[in-house]
């Protein structure tokens, strides 16, 4: 065992004499190792950034405010666990039975257990405007007994009774309210008047909320759930540690989650817990992906570097170097390069982490005050992972070198091989029909999986490009070479001759560029296809004349729906409530659970306000425990009309509703439709997101608009709008998901772009002797530059051609799976951006490398080392 450990250490950490020799070879091959160094620096930066985000998700958060005085805060399980390490957060607050409070109070070491409810309220100033919380955070109402959890200190006044409230000092100051004043408070859409009888101050202030305290009975009534509490705050008896008390409560009271320390903020602020879960999941998965990509990119650049050193390595083999010594040499070289590159990449990695945090905040996936501290372990983890990845890359490259005998090595060093390996050709050829089957052959699972499989199949085409890049380029040169470059000029003639003679070398520059074009095209145009499909379904399917929304963002109470139904000229009123639900369904030999956007709608006259494009069944039956599914989801979960499915509502409640309809317009209106009263009852605020109104035929729209506004005067936070108001109402997920997806794809494609530039620069800069030879036999410097411009045109043309051909099948398959149309949405701006970026990347890299390679005088360059 000790011998194995020593051998592993020897592999990763070379001996000093090996490092000394490696340093000398690195100094002699700066250009070749520069590419690997840059790739490791960029990879280390991304891995460090992901590590810092992962650390923030695991250990940081937001300091509790109202619960700062509680030793332990208890909440319900807020996550649905897919397995031991993967979870999906419920979109609504999961509550606890009120009788849990007494059970917790009976646990030894508990001084007091206090149930707390959160009621989102809107307080109006004398002008009727909504008084916002600090930094636009909400104003929340609570029972007076929960004030002891901070604890709040009364600066003046007394505890509230019926019809009375106590305000936190900052809220009272913003609204210029004093004790004895009357305030207007809206819960949902219902306006009530309360007398202010006290003002309190939190020990450390309130930065993420404002607090309004009602009497305990009034808070329970306003919450709409007399038998439930949102959380339980526990005050510990003297001498009892919070962690010890939390353990006792877990043992004595089932189905509660105990939080101590900074974790108490996860219960107080659901967005903090949501951010933790999302950050951990995305940082871990993306960081793991980047480790694999770093290995691939470093191996590619190192392979190119070794190919350029083939004479040197062949000579070493010929004079007696053993395969093991070649392994040790490359191992030591990569150890030095990876160690240095990883340390250098740590600084931009820290910067990238904070940039990514800013994007998370912009997307609404992370609160602005979410703490993120930089510690040493993400940097050390990036260092270890990059060194292991680089060592693995070196081992993969060295294997091919050491397999060749010294005599064959010298022969191979003279000319490049003309043919590819048989295994590489077979793999590349087989991947193409496999990719076509997955994208166009109806082999993938139906529904959402069909689109996902088509989008994922791009990797097969990318790998096929990597395997078949050289022969594809050779074929393209035969077909289009004369069209791309004119042979009437010396530069064009040289470019044509060089590309025909050295197509293997040119493919090393073309293939990674084509792979980048494919990945960029699929990512950009699959997103545009999804967005365009959703907009088309929503705009065509929305048939309402008027839309009611909430100016305070607190939603619309069900009472408003009843009020507008009686307005003359109103034919149909459809309340819409939104949430995220989870569907559990059979998948191969087990079950799978996925999250989908859902809306709760009233079935009466639904087709008059929104067209879901029903394919089977009838949405008029959407009552009680029933559900309607989009075609994509129905195919995904293998559901039919009349069958029961397992569905988890936003607050964690599990039901098994019957499927009564299947519809097409799931992108625009949500993949799951449920009865409105069911969704409202299981949402946190128990309100609607919007209300759709369809007028009777022949109704004067102006008169109806005035009548609606008159009816809604007693609901000051409800506003009347047109169709555009519903289009602007945020759904579940939505734009934030696309922003995060864009972030990670930008980072990934940016790293690939760095790898492409590396390859182009290394391949071009290594041609110093070739450029010198051309000049010595009579070519002008301008002619050499024109030759390289000609080669660049071939690289760009081939990369765009191969990249487009590889992207077309996945995009068609994705569009078919999602919208049943074979035509994806391809924007002209996106095409121009991809073409412009490809041209700028390749032209800039090759031009810069050509200038560097031609800097030495020809006579000095021809005598230098290869």
């Amino acid at each position: 065992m000790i011998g194995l450990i020593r051998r592993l250490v020897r592999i990763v950490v070379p001996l000093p004499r090996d490092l000394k020799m490696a340093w000398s070879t690195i100094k002699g091959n700066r250009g070749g190792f520069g590419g690997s160094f840059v790739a490791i620096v960029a990879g280390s930066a991304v891995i460090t950034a992901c590590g810092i985000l992962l650390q923030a998700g695991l250990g940081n958060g937001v300091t509790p405010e109202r619960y700062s005085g509680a030793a332990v805060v208890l909440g319900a399980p807020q996550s649905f666990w897919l397995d031991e390490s993967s979870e999906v957060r419920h979109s609504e607050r999961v509550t606890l039975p009120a009788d849990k409070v007494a059970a917790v109070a009976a646990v030894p070491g508990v001084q007091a257990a206090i149930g707390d409810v959160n009621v989102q309220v809107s307080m109006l100033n004398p002008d009727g405007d909504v008084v916002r919380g600090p930094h636009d955070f909400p104003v929340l109402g609570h029972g007076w007994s929960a004030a002891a959890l901070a604890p709040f200190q009364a600066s003046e006044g007394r505890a509230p009774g019926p019809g009375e409230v106590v305000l936190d000092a900052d809220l009272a100051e913003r609204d210029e309210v004093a004790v004895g004043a009357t305030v207007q408070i809206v819960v949902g859409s219902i306006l009530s008047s309360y007398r202010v009888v006290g003002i309190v101050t939190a020990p450390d202030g309130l930065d993420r909320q404002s607090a309004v305290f009602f009497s305990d009975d009034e808070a329970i009534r306003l919450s709409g759930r007399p038998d439930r509490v949102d959380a339980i705050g526990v005050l510990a008896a003297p001498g009892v540690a919070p962690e010890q008390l939390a353990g006792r409560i877990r043992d004595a009271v089932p189905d509660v989650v105990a939080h101590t320390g900074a974790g108490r903020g996860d219960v107080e602020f659901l967005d903090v817990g949501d951010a933790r879960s999302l950050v951990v999941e995305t940082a871990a998965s993306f960081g793991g992906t980047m480790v694999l990509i770093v290995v691939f990119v470093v191996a590619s650049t190192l392979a190119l570097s070794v190919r350029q050193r083939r004479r040197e390595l062949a000579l070493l083999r010929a004079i007696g170097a053993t395969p093991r010594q070649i392994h040790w040499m490359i191992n030591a070289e990569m150890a030095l390069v990876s160690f240095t590159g990883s340390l250098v990449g740590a600084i931009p990695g820290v910067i990238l982490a904070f940039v990514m945090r800013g994007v998370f905040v912009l997307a609404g996936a992370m609160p602005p005050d979410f703490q993120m501290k930089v510690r040493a372990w993400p940097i050390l983890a990036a260092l270890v992972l990059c060194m292991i990845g680089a060592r693995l890359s070196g081992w993969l490259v060295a294997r091919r070198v050491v397999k060749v005998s010294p005599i064959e090595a010298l022969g191979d060093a003279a000319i490049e091989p003309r043919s590819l390996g048989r295994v590489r050709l077979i793999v590349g050829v087989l991947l193409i029909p496999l990719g076509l089957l997955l994208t166009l052959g109806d082999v993938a699972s139906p529904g959402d999986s069909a689109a996902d499989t088509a989008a994922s199949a791009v990797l097969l085409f990318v790998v096929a490009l990597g395997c078949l890049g050289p022969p594809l380029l050779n074929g393209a040169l035969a077909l289009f070479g004369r069209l791309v470059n004119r042979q009437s000029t010396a530069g064009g003639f040289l470019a044509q001759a060089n590309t025909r003679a050295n197509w293997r070398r040119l493919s090393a520059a073309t293939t990674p560029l084509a792979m980048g074009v494919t990945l960029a095209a699929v990512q950009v145009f699959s997103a545009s296809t999804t967005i365009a499909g959703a907009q088309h379904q929503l705009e065509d399917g929305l048939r309402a004349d008027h839309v009611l929304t909430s100016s305070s963002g607190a939603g619309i109470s069900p009472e408003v729906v009843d009020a507008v139904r009686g307005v003359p000229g109103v034919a149909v009123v459809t309340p819409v409530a939104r949430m995220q639900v989870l569907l559990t369904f059979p998948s191969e030999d087990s079950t799978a659970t996925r999250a989908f956007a859902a809306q709760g709608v009233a079935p009466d006259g639904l087709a008059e306000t929104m067209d879901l494009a029903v394919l089977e069944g009838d949405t008029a039956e959407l009552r009680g425990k029933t559900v309607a599914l989009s075609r994509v989801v129905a195919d995904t979960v293998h559901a039919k009309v009349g069958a029961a499915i397992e569905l988890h509502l936003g607050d964690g409640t599990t039901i098994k509703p019957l499927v009564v309809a299947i519809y097409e317009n799931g992108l625009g209106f949500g993949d799951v439709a449920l009865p409105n009263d069911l969704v409202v009852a299981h949402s946190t605020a128990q309100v609607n997101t919007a209300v759709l109104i369809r007028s009777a035929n022949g109704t004067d729209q102006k008169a109806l608009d005035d009548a609606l506004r008159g009816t809604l005067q007693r609901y000051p936070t409800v506003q009347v709008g047109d169709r555009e108001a519903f289009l602007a109402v945020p759904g579940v997920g939505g734009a934030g998901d696309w922003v995060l997806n864009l972030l990670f794809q930008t980072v990934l494609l940016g790293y690939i772009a760095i790898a492409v530039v590396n390859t182009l620069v290394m391949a071009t800069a290594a041609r110093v002797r070739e450029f010198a030879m051309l000049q010595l036999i009579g070519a002008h410097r301008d002619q050499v530059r024109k030759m390289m411009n000609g080669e660049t045109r071939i690289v760009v043309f081939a990369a765009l051609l191969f990249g487009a051909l590889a992207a077309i099948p996945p995009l068609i398959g994705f569009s078919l799976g999602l919208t049943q149309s074979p035509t994806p949405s391809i924007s002209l701006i996106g095409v121009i951006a991809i073409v412009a970026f490809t041209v700028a990347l390749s032209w800039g890299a090759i031009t810069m490398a050509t200038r560097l390679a031609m800097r030495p005088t020809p006579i000095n360059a021809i005598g230098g080392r290869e």
Side-chain angles (χ1 to χ4, degrees):
M1 185 66 182
I2 295 176
L4 178 61
I5 295 175
R6 287 177 177 174
R7 186 173 182 182
L8 290 174
V9 172
R10 175 80 170 87
I11 291 174
V12 178
V13 183
L15 294 176
R17 66 172 181 270
D18 295 330
L19 293 175
K20 184 177 180 180
M21 179 179 178
W23 177 241
S24 65
T25 59
I26 291 173
K27 288 193 296 183
N29 295 277
R30 291 187 181 92
F33 287 104
S36 299
F37 177 79
V38 172
I40 292 171
V41 168
S44 172
V46 177
I47 296 172
T48 298
C50 291
I52 293 173
L53 287 173
L54 180 62
Q55 164 207 294
L58 292 174
N60 298 330
V62 173
T63 304
E65 295 179 350
R66 289 188 306 103
Y67 296 156
S68 59
V72 182
V73 177
L74 306 176
Q78 192 63 40
S79 298
F80 181 92
W81 288 91
L82 304 175
D83 51 46
E84 295 181 356
S85 60
S86 180
E87 62 176 322
V88 178
R89 296 276 295 184
H90 292 296
S91 61
E92 310 295 320
R93 181 181 286 276
V94 182
T95 57
L96 290 168
D99 57 14
K100 294 281 187 184
V101 178
V104 173
V107 175
V110 174
Q111 179 176 324
I114 302 170
D116 182 35
V117 296
N118 296 280
V119 181
Q120 185 168 346
V121 304
S122 302
M123 197 166 80
L124 306 181
N125 62 21
D127 297 329
D129 298 325
V130 176
V131 180
R132 303 286 181 180
H135 312 295
D136 262 354
F137 281 113
V139 179
L140 299 175
H142 313 276
W144 173 247
S145 61
L149 297 175
F152 284 86
Q153 302 294 328
S155 55
E156 55 180 310
R158 57 175 176 81
E164 299 173 340
V165 293
V166 172
L167 307 180
D168 79 72
D170 292 337
L171 178 61
E173 182 180 356
R174 280 195 303 275
D175 198 28
E176 300 179 351
V177 173
V179 172
T182 299
V183 293
Q184 305 293 314
I185 293 179
V186 179
V187 178
S189 307
I190 309 303
L191 177 66
S192 302
S193 297
Y194 293 87
R195 183 168 176 266
V196 179
V197 296
I199 294 176
V200 294
T201 304
D204 299 318
L206 298 177
D207 295 325
R208 305 190 90 249
Q209 61 189 311
S210 291
V212 177
F213 292 98
F214 302 92
S215 66
D216 288 344
D217 291 340
E218 180 71 358
I220 292 172
R221 183 188 72 82
L222 293 175
S223 73
R225 298 185 181 91
D227 58 342
R228 312 289 293 185
V229 294
D230 291 347
I232 301 174
V234 181
L235 303 180
V240 179
E243 291 76 12
Q244 180 186 13
L245 183 57
R248 292 178 185 175
I249 294 173
R250 291 190 194 100
D251 294 337
V253 184
D255 300 325
V256 297
V257 181
H259 300 263
T260 59
R264 295 170 296 172
D266 292 3
V267 185
E268 186 172 358
F269 311 113
L270 285 185
D271 58 338
V272 175
D274 295 343
R276 280 180 184 270
S277 176
L278 178 64
V279 167
V280 169
E281 180 182 356
T282 55
S285 61
F286 187 69
T289 302
M290 282 306 304
V291 171
L292 298 178
I293 293 176
V294 167
V295 172
F296 175 76
V297 170
V298 172
S300 299
T301 54
L302 183 60
L304 182 59
S305 172
V306 170
R307 192 181 309 136
Q308 293 169 356
R309 297 168 58 196
R310 60 188 182 275
R311 288 180 180 273
E312 172 192 333
L313 297 176
L315 182 59
L316 288 175
R317 292 296 314 281
I319 62 176
T322 65
R324 187 174 183 180
Q325 289 173 326
I326 298 294
H327 265 296
W328 289 138
M329 183 184 73
I330 295 179
N331 173 32
E333 291 169 349
M334 293 314 300
L336 280 176
V337 172
S338 60
F339 179 79
T340 309
S342 299
L343 291 181
V344 172
I347 297 175
V350 173
I351 298 173
L352 179 61
F354 281 93
V355 171
M356 294 173 72
R357 177 190 179 279
V359 177
F360 270 84
V361 173
L362 178 66
M366 180 185 288
D369 55 347
F370 191 89
Q371 300 174 11
M372 192 171 75
K373 299 177 181 178
V374 179
R375 293 188 173 90
W377 76 258
I379 298 174
L380 294 176
L383 174 66
V384 172
L385 290 173
C386 285
M387 290 191 68
I388 293 175
R391 177 63 191 97
L392 177 60
S393 303
W395 178 76
L396 292 172
V397 172
R399 284 183 68 228
R400 181 177 180 183
V401 175
V402 300
K403 282 183 177 180
V404 183
S405 67
I407 301 299
E408 291 175 342
L410 285 174
D412 274 348
I415 57 172
E416 291 190 349
R418 302 293 298 175
S419 61
L420 296 180
R422 182 178 301 176
V423 174
R424 178 175 174 179
L425 278 173
I426 293 174
V427 170
V429 171
L430 291 179
L431 285 177
I432 294 176
L434 178 59
L436 291 174
L437 281 174
L438 290 178
T439 54
L440 307 176
D442 200 25
V443 173
S445 301
D448 210 18
S449 298
D452 291 345
T453 302
S456 301
V458 67
L459 297 178
L460 298 179
F461 291 102
V462 166
V463 175
L465 272 179
C467 294
L468 302 177
L472 287 175
L473 178 63
N474 197 23
L477 288 173
L479 292 174
F480 307 108
R482 295 180 183 275
L483 298 177
V484 178
N485 277 319
R486 295 178 302 168
Q487 295 196 47
S488 57
T489 63
F493 173 78
L494 288 173
Q496 282 279 16
N498 235 336
T499 52
R500 284 197 301 267
N502 299 287
W503 52 273
R504 284 289 302 275
R505 180 181 62 193
L506 195 64
S507 70
T510 304
T511 302
L513 196 60
M515 295 164 69
V517 170
T518 301
L519 290 173
V522 171
Q523 293 300 330
V524 170
F525 299 131
S526 62
S528 64
T529 299
T530 304
I531 294 173
Q535 289 178 341
H536 174 74
Q537 291 181 5
L538 190 57
E539 292 172 359
D540 289 355
L542 185 60
R543 296 177 174 178
D545 304 311
H546 295 78
V547 177
L548 305 185
T549 56
S550 172
S551 61
S552 65
I556 302 174
S557 297
E559 291 86 346
V560 176
V561 178
D562 297 331
V564 297
R565 281 195 173 118
V567 174
V570 171
V572 180
V573 177
T574 302
V576 180
R578 288 173 173 166
M579 69 165 47
Q580 177 180 282
V581 299
L582 307 177
L583 296 184
T584 299
F585 54 93
S587 177
E588 297 179 354
D589 297 332
S590 59
T591 59
T593 300
R594 293 189 60 176
F596 296 99
Q599 63 174 357
V601 294
D604 297 329
L606 178 62
E608 298 298 318
T609 54
M610 66 169 66
D611 178 19
L612 296 179
V614 177
L615 303 174
E616 297 180 57
D618 188 357
T619 55
E621 300 178 15
L622 205 58
R623 306 174 191 277
K625 290 186 178 180
T626 58
V627 65
L629 303 175
S630 71
R631 171 189 58 82
V632 172
V633 172
D635 289 342
T636 300
V637 303
H638 313 293
K640 304 291 184 182
V641 172
I645 62 172
E646 183 177 340
L647 185 147
H648 310 272
L649 296 168
D651 65 348
T653 302
T654 301
I655 61 174
K656 292 190 175 181
L658 291 177
V659 179
V660 297
I662 295 175
Y663 56 91
E664 179 63 36
N665 291 346
L667 284 176
F669 293 97
D671 285 311
V672 179
L674 291 161
N676 178 259
D677 55 352
L678 181 66
V679 173
V680 169
H682 292 275
S683 62
T684 301
Q686 297 180 304
V687 293
N688 291 295
T689 307
V691 177
L692 306 180
I693 299 174
R694 178 68 179 267
S695 61
N697 292 334
T699 301
D700 185 328
Q701 296 300 315
K702 179 65 168 60
L704 177 60
D705 189 77
D706 292 340
L708 288 172
R709 295 182 188 278
T711 301
L712 296 174
Q713 283 185 352
R714 62 181 183 272
Y715 306 109
T717 59
V718 179
Q719 56 189 8
V720 182
D722 54 15
R723 290 164 43 93
E724 299 300 322
F726 186 74
L727 300 178
V729 172
V732 178
D737 294 338
W738 290 112
V739 172
L740 292 182
N741 184 59
L742 180 63
L743 165 67
F744 289 112
Q745 297 305 330
T746 300
V747 173
L748 176 60
L749 293 175
Y751 186 76
I752 293 175
I754 292 174
V756 170
V757 170
N758 258 340
T759 303
L760 294 174
V761 170
M762 289 174 62
T764 306
R767 299 169 64 181
V768 175
R769 291 165 59 91
E770 176 189 338
F771 295 160
M773 179 67 74
L774 287 172
Q775 293 177 77
L776 289 175
I777 63 176
H780 297 294
R781 297 175 69 89
D782 288 341
Q783 290 174 328
V784 175
R785 292 193 184 99
K786 289 179 181 179
M787 176 192 74
M788 294 307 299
N789 288 338
E791 291 188 19
T792 305
R793 284 193 293 270
I794 293 174
V795 168
V796 172
F797 174 80
L800 293 174
L801 175 64
F802 299 153
L805 291 176
I808 289 174
L811 287 173
I812 293 177
F814 181 83
S815 182
L816 281 170
L818 209 59
T819 66
Q820 289 192 312
S821 169
T823 307
S825 176
I826 298 178
S827 64
L828 181 61
I829 295 178
V831 173
I832 293 175
I834 291 174
V835 172
F837 188 74
T838 303
V839 172
L841 202 67
S842 54
W843 218 289
I846 293 177
T847 301
M848 177 186 66
T850 302
R851 290 182 177 178
L852 291 175
M854 294 179 63
R855 182 174 295 175
T857 60
I859 193 66
N860 290 331
I862 199 68
R865 63 177 295 163
E866 186 176 23

